[in-house]
Amino acid sequence: MNQPNLVSIVVPIFNEEQVLPLLFQKLEELTTQLRSVASHVEIVLVNDGSADRSWAMIEQQCTARP
């Protein structure tokens, strides 16, 4: 039986408001490339207690690109 290929990308986030737009762009590019070899790609962003707008930006990105 064939098992689906799953790739998980886990990124810790701590006060990364300034770099999140670039991170989102790079993750989008990486996800597109990975889909050629994996049947499922998931991205897990872990907010490590940011005091800036990181969490709000992550929520906005998740709403825009579920």
Side-chain angles (χ1 to χ4, degrees), residues 3-17:
Q3 296 290 327
N5 295 328
L6 171 64
V7 174
S8 297
I9 301 168
V10 180
V11 183
I13 306 293
F14 182 73
N15 295 333
E16 302 295 340
E17 178 180 0

Side-chain angles (χ1 to χ4, degrees), residues 23-61:
L23 175 65
F24 296 149
Q25 176 188 344
K26 295 298 182 181
L27 287 173
E28 183 73 27
E29 293 169 7
L30 180 59
T31 300
T32 300
Q33 294 172 355
L34 286 172
R35 285 195 176 118
S36 68
V37 295
S39 56
H40 300 287
V41 178
E42 71 176 355
I43 299 170
V44 179
L45 302 174
V46 180
N47 183 17
D48 285 341
S50 297
D52 63 0
R53 293 187 56 249
S54 292
W55 183 246
M57 294 174 74
I58 292 169
E59 287 182 314
Q60 182 180 30
Q61 183 71 11

